Amino acid sequence: MVFSSLFGKRDKPEPAESESLTPESTPKLGLFDRMKQAVTRTRETFSESISSVIALTREVDEASLTSLEPLLLAADIGSATTAIIMENLRQRALRTGIQSGAELKQLLKQELKQILDGVAHPIQHPSTPPEVILMVGVNGTGKTTTTGKLAALFRSQNKTVLLCAADTFRAAAIEQLEVWAQRSDVPIIKTKQGGDPSAALYDACIAAKARNTDILIADTAGRLHTKSDLMKELDKMRRTAEKLVPGAPHQTFLVMDATTGQNGLQQARLFTEAARVTGIVLTKLDGTAKGGIVLAIATELKLPVIYAGVGEKIEDLIPFDSTTFIDSLLE
């Protein structure tokens, strides 16, 4: 096993994914503005379509409600979630006696926020460091890149971070994480490709404890051979971490690609069952016109979105907030 501090001048391979690592010299935006910018494509199709319906609504009746349904489906909210929203809108519209399109829009915003808040829960942090976080997900979702960005986010909060390259299956995954460790200015524990990921995690836990590190983030393999194989490997990693750090892993984040939409939900269900996922990190939210997948995740996976990827730069991973998201989507 090799420990690399990555502070010396050494040639490093470029990241496997085409993401910019150098922050641009532009003014920093607030959380709302960054989220608003990220969901621009979704808002252009979703919000503008809803606005056109609302503009024609003089009286909230079955016809005006029904006209919303295809718009929700087109935003990738999903049939199950859309059915829940439509039923609740009908019941609330009848009960409260709303009359105008503007009132309908506010009611819709309340319904969408209620879905997201219904699965939200405060993150429980351990009283004694390190906090161990496992990053899981299918290859191609941006898992390794997101691991690096998350490390940079924690570093910006003045926390000490250690990365563990436990994806020993995918070619160049270790080298890719090394680049992100260097850019995020954090140390990394690694082994050779094809090595035992649990052994890498073991060494990382020992190192994190010895150095009193605040957060240990482990990037795991994204292969999906069978559910049984996946569960065995993740169970072994969990047992390894728990032996060394009480309560570990404290968080298991499933990295999902927002652009895959409904097609990614089935794979997400498999990881959710196998890995005891505690929250979602949704990548490439800025690259889709169907950001309604956030609501489908809440309804169908019963999990909160904890962080959202809103761009390609290293700092473009932000905490997800339901109010900010809904207000950005439906101005």
Side-chain angles (χ1 to χ4, degrees), residues 2-6 10-15 21 144 148 163 165 172-191 219:
V2 180
F3 176 81
S4 175
S5 66
L6 295 175
R10 294 162 50 190
D11 291 334
K12 292 291 179 182
E14 291 303 313
L21 298 178
T144 300
L163 290 178
I174 296 172
E175 290 80 2
Q176 184 187 355
L177 191 63
E178 279 190 291
V179 174
W180 282 100
Q182 184 178 36
R183 301 304 187 191
S184 305
D185 195 22
V186 300
I188 182 173
I189 294 290
K190 63 177 183 176
T191 187
D219 179 29

Side-chain angles (χ1 to χ4, degrees), residues 135-314:
M135 304 293 284
V136 303
V138 182
N139 284 336
T141 58
K143 179 169 51 61
T144 300
T145 294
T146 300
T147 300
K149 288 182 176 181
L150 190 59
L153 178 63
F154 289 141
R155 284 281 290 135
S156 72
Q157 298 169 352
N158 295 318
K159 297 182 183 296
T160 54
V161 183
L162 174 65
L163 290 178
C164 174
D167 182 354
T168 61
F169 182 78
R170 180 171 66 87
I174 296 172
E175 290 80 2
Q176 184 187 355
L177 191 63
E178 279 190 291
V179 174
W180 282 100
Q182 184 178 36
R183 301 304 187 191
S184 305
D185 195 22
V186 300
I188 182 173
I189 294 290
K190 63 177 183 176
T191 187
K192 63 182 180 180
Q193 184 180 344
D196 183 357
S198 293
L201 183 58
Y202 180 94
D203 284 1
C205 288
I206 293 292
K209 290 175 66 177
R211 298 166 187 277
N212 201 33
T213 301
D214 293 322
I215 300 173
L216 167 61
I217 311 175
D219 179 29
T220 69
R223 63 188 185 277
L224 275 172
H225 290 328
T226 68
K227 180 177 177 180
S228 176
D229 289 341
L230 179 65
M231 290 183 70
K232 286 179 182 177
E233 181 173 298
L234 291 173
D235 277 340
K236 183 180 178 182
M237 293 183 72
R238 277 199 301 266
R239 291 195 306 271
T240 298
E242 192 171 18
K243 285 179 183 178
L244 297 169
V245 182
H250 305 96
Q251 304 296 332
T252 301
F253 291 149
L254 173 64
V255 181
M256 288 185 64
D257 181 342
T259 65
T260 62
Q262 296 292 315
N263 293 331
L265 283 178
Q266 183 54 44
Q267 292 174 325
R269 289 188 190 96
L270 177 59
F271 271 99
T272 299
E273 294 169 6
R276 303 177 194 173
V277 174
T278 58
I280 302 291
V281 181
L282 193 64
T283 64
K284 307 173 188 176
L285 186 59
D286 59 313
T288 180
K290 298 185 175 184
I293 190 65
V294 173
L295 292 131
I297 289 169
T299 302
E300 300 188 37
L301 300 182
K302 308 300 182 187
L303 288 169
V305 174
I306 308 297
Y307 298 100
V310 297
E312 296 183 346
K313 299 188 293 293
I314 193 171

Side-chain angles (χ1 to χ4, degrees), residues 11 17 95-96 105-106 132 134 194 199 201 205 234 236 245:
D11 291 334
E17 299 170 49
R95 185 171 64 251
T96 58
K105 183 177 181 179
Q106 288 304 309
V132 180
L134 293 187
L201 183 58
C205 288
L234 291 173
K236 183 180 178 182
V245 182

